[in-house]
Amino acid sequence: MAAAVEKKEHLYKILVIGELGTGKTSIIKRYVHQFFSQHYRATIGVDFALKVLNWDADTVVRLQLWDIAGQERFGNMTRVYYKEAVGCFIVFDVTRASTFEAVTKWKADLDSKVTLSDSTPVPCVLLANKCDQAKEGLVNNVSQMDDFCKEKGFVGWFETSAKENINIEEAARFLVTRILQNDEAIAKDEADTDRIILNGPKDSSLTEKKGCCS
Amino acid sequence: MADEFPTEFDVIVIGTGLSESILAAAFSRIGQKVLHIDRNGYYSGRWCSFNLQAVDSWINQTKGEDALKATDADTIKNLISDEESTIELELIDKSYSHTNVTFNIGDDKTDVESDLKEKASSEADIIESNEVKNNDSVAANNSSVASEQSKNDTKDTSQKVNTDIKDNVTADVKDCTIDVKDSSTTGVKDSGLNSSDSKTIGEKKELPESVVDNDIKKKEEIWTKSRLLKEWRKFNLDLTPKLLYCGGSMVQLLITSDIAKYCEFKTVTRMLTLLDGKLEKVPCSRADVFNSKDVSMLEKRMLMKFLTSCAEYDKKPTEYEAFTDRPFTDYLESKKLTKNIKHFVQHSIAMATGETLTPEGLAKTKKFLHSLGRYGNTAFLWPLYGCGELPQGFCRMCAVFGGVYCLKMSASHLVVDKDNKCTGVISTDGKKLTAKYVIIEESSVPFPLFNASNKRYISRAVLVTDKSIVHDGSQQLSLLQIPKSDGRYLTTVIELPPSSMSSPSPLNVVHITMETENEDTTPELDLQDIVNTLFQTEPSQDDGKPVIMWSMFFKREFYCDVSVDRTVVPENVIVIPGPGPQLDLDIVVDQSRAIFEKLMPGEDFLPRPPNPEDIIYIDDAEKAVKDESNKSDFTESDQSESTNKPNDQSESDNSNFTESIDKPKDQSQSNNSDTTEFKSDQSETIDKQNDQSQSDNSNSKESKSDQSESINKPNDQLQSDNSSHTGSPDQTGSTDKKEPKTE
């Protein structure tokens, strides 16, 4: 029998945070579902959107993009939201400078609530969304934005437009590349096989096999 | 953007403890508009698991620091009508007392450094050179051998140093070694110094293995206050540690509601008991019983026979009829069990006190046995990262279904109309928020409204120790129940290994919980006997017992009964008890379910939501598009309006939902049409398709059939995502794993 090359499959949790109305949901929908609407409402009933990437010939990457549940919106995120995330997008709206000012707050909240397993910060990409519209504030100055990202610990930034489908794929690809690098770098000595994930009675036979994580 | 904070709700829940969070999620899940607020800046309230830094701020908070302020009378007067009155609520949790945190390890790095600086004036050169070498070796070696080598270096090269200083230097060496783990900064300032030293290191690397092992052990033993503080993030210290019966209602609820996906668990791997002053492992499963060396053959048969009879005791009521009103201990006596077996059954399997009646003891024994074997050879689970995770799981579920969350905000007053009905609350930021029901945790209700005779206390100790109480090198999660001398209460000891994510390796966290009626005694005194039995109290005398490095003691009051004075508190204000003295969480679930079913008769209690990976749905917001001009203000901003009539639609959607599962063909058709529709990218195109979109809507909300039975009221607002699913067959893949894996 021909040796079938086993594909490596990665499942990554990515957070999408930022102020209200900056277009987080739009970005996720554009990226995952290839469509854009002016009229999203609260993201109700859904934890995350899933995007499957055939990264290369032998790697499949499954991205869980966790939107802040529609109305967990006053910046009070639960730990279960942050927990075990390996990447993050912080989104601001280039047309509203106030949303950029909040970026620092979101980054600090993120870093205070979650780190990678080796205690380094979760790689975070800054998205300057709605770049198809008139910009306000710092985002007009590329070198200043670069400095800002460096200072605040962002791994990079992109001008994006969910509406015009600008740079979203690129930003995601950039972040996933980072995550894959981290994944290789971080020793997997934490293989802890006796964590239990509760399953329904029907799945109880699977519990033993699947009951491990990270 | 928080300016359009909604002010009308169906339910306002005050407090994010476990019961409140379960109820918030349950209401939100059936489409009720929920506001969930907490006076604290963190979730889980009295169920919280704190890291070492958060413990400090919590202690300040129990003293009333940084508390929210009540809205002033003038503001309130403007908010309420003449016929309305208010009841003031508590904004500070006053239920804690005798709180005391102690570091029992002294060799603080900063102390040593300042000592060194003082001495430096006379012998600066020697100390400097030692420090340099130590740091250098640490940086160069970056391994566990550094400590011992540096000490050797000290001896080799600086014999002139007097003994006093040598001690200090050694202490400093320890600290350097510790730093290696977290950062490389220690070595930075001295990099590239003293090549002869690195040579020595090179040579010493060839030390016999046994010596190296010894060094590793030594290094692991060195814990200082600064190192503990540096690892603050790795601690998750529970205010209210509780276990879950594997077969209990909490586990059941987590599974049926799918909130289990937010949590992971460890099993309690070891049941211990204190028998004649010695810690013994309790044999509780068939395998344990037969493997136990401490139990004689006769006792094994006796125990197995007894446990088997307990497992179906309710089928033979005649067996225990005579004991219905008598203590469980009497029943055990009548069974002619040996002393050991009686002890095991009473304290570790039935968790019975001297006062527990026979039927209850039997029921608890049965529950224990029923819980064995589901997740391995154990009856109990412990939530990874602590019990504070569980309320947050429910909060996330509530938020996902539209619940509004606000921390560091509470209600300072209830608003009551002339018919003694609560119409809402005055928030601490001075707004009137209306609701049909207000659910409020007991500690927010002013004391005079309770019956004080129901007041009891819980004495707590949280200890960070260097090794397990029964240390065998493996990571064991242990449960130990110790009867009080008067036999009325059991004291619970839960020992958590580092793998439970409660502490950095190799430290253990020990939780001691004791119910008491005595307000005035300190928890230290209440728990003194147990602490002395299990731990080393004099660090200088190594008797093999674990050393307590850090401890927190506190006492908390609770009410066995939270029935309030209903002449004052309206019926539609539901008061929830705080965490009680129970070992497990099932009573919390049962109470919450009862409250929910009373308020929402006929509604499902936390039905399973659709799996995000399985839902295929279209954006029914598109239906609303009436060729409006582009507005930049899209996304979440209009959500408050969108959620105001969830119930109307969920009825009809429900039927469509079921249908669609029966007609898979329809679904695939609609999928196709959707795909073409939305790939076009243009909102105008979508508008033209409006009609079709509407008709397809019924069929395109879909979830895999294995979930269908539990989804009774798919919330109508499961819209908004469109499907690109034609191209992603993987979406039907494994649904068990929710958490990202690194592997």
Side-chain angles (χ1 to χ4, degrees), chain A residues 156-167:
Chain A
W157 70 286
F158 288 84
E159 284 192 284
T160 56
S161 166
K163 191 178 173 201
E164 304 297 335
N165 198 11
I166 299 168
N167 263 345

Side-chain angles (χ1 to χ4, degrees), chain A residues 34-199:
Chain A
Q34 286 91 42
F35 96 70
F36 175 81
S37 163
Q38 305 275 10
H39 295 275
Y40 296 128
R41 296 188 216 152
T43 322
I44 291 176
V46 188
D47 261 332
F48 55 82
L50 187 79
K51 173 86 173 179
V52 181
L53 298 172
N54 290 305
W55 189 254
D56 57 32
D58 50 25
T59 314
V60 175
V61 174
R62 294 156 62 86
L63 297 181
Q64 285 183 348
L65 292 142
W66 286 56
D67 205 341
I68 62 179
Q71 305 196 329
E72 241 172 343
R73 59 182 158 147
F74 299 100
N76 300 315
M77 309 304 299
T78 51
R79 237 179 72 101
V80 294
Y81 173 77
Y82 283 115
K83 194 164 70 179
E84 298 187 46
V86 295
C88 177
F89 290 115
I90 295 182
V91 186
F92 72 98
D93 175 352
V94 297
T95 66
R96 287 185 293 141
S98 65
T99 64
F100 178 72
E101 283 151 24
V103 161
T104 313
K105 183 200 82 184
W106 280 104
K107 180 73 166 69
D109 194 44
L110 172 78
D111 289 338
S112 73
K113 297 226 172 87
V114 65
T115 64
L116 300 180
S117 60
D118 64 350
S119 300
T120 56
V122 170
C124 189
V125 171
L126 183 60
L127 300 183
N129 195 34
K130 307 192 190 176
C131 70
D132 55 294
Q133 297 180 40
K135 293 168 201 168
E136 196 181 84
L138 191 62
V139 71
N140 289 308
N141 187 324
V142 171
S143 74
Q144 273 186 32
M145 278 296 287
D146 286 342
D147 290 346
F148 175 84
C149 285
K150 214 169 190 179
E151 184 196 328
K152 302 290 177 195
F154 288 94
V155 296
W157 70 286
F158 288 84
E159 284 192 284
T160 56
S161 166
K163 191 178 173 201
E164 304 297 335
N165 198 11
I166 299 168
N167 263 345
I168 291 178
E169 293 274 347
E170 288 78 359
R173 186 154 274 276
F174 178 81
L175 183 59
V176 171
T177 309
R178 262 313 172 99
I179 293 170
L180 283 163
Q181 281 167 2
N182 282 338
D183 214 8
E184 280 168 23
I186 296 171
K188 295 188 179 65
D189 56 359
E190 288 197 6
D192 181 358
T193 49
D194 22 279
R195 292 189 184 178
I196 305 282
I197 296 172
L198 304 183
N199 284 317

Side-chain angles (χ1 to χ4, degrees), chain A residues 25-37 40 49-53 65 162-165 168-169, chain B residues 622 674-682 686 720-728 731:
Chain A
T25 309
S26 305
I27 288 172
I28 292 174
K29 285 180 183 160
R30 166 63 77 188
Y31 183 56
V32 175
H33 307 297
Q34 286 91 42
F35 96 70
F36 175 81
S37 163
Y40 296 128
L50 187 79
K51 173 86 173 179
V52 181
L53 298 172
L65 292 142
K163 191 178 173 201
E164 304 297 335
N165 198 11
I168 291 178
E169 293 274 347
Chain B
E622 299 301 340
D674 290 345
T675 311
T676 44
E677 206 177 315
F678 291 112
K679 271 192 174 157
S680 62
D681 241 16
Q682 298 285 332
I686 295 165
S720 66
D721 267 17
N722 182 30
S723 55
S724 64
H725 301 258
T726 42
S728 45
Q731 297 232 341

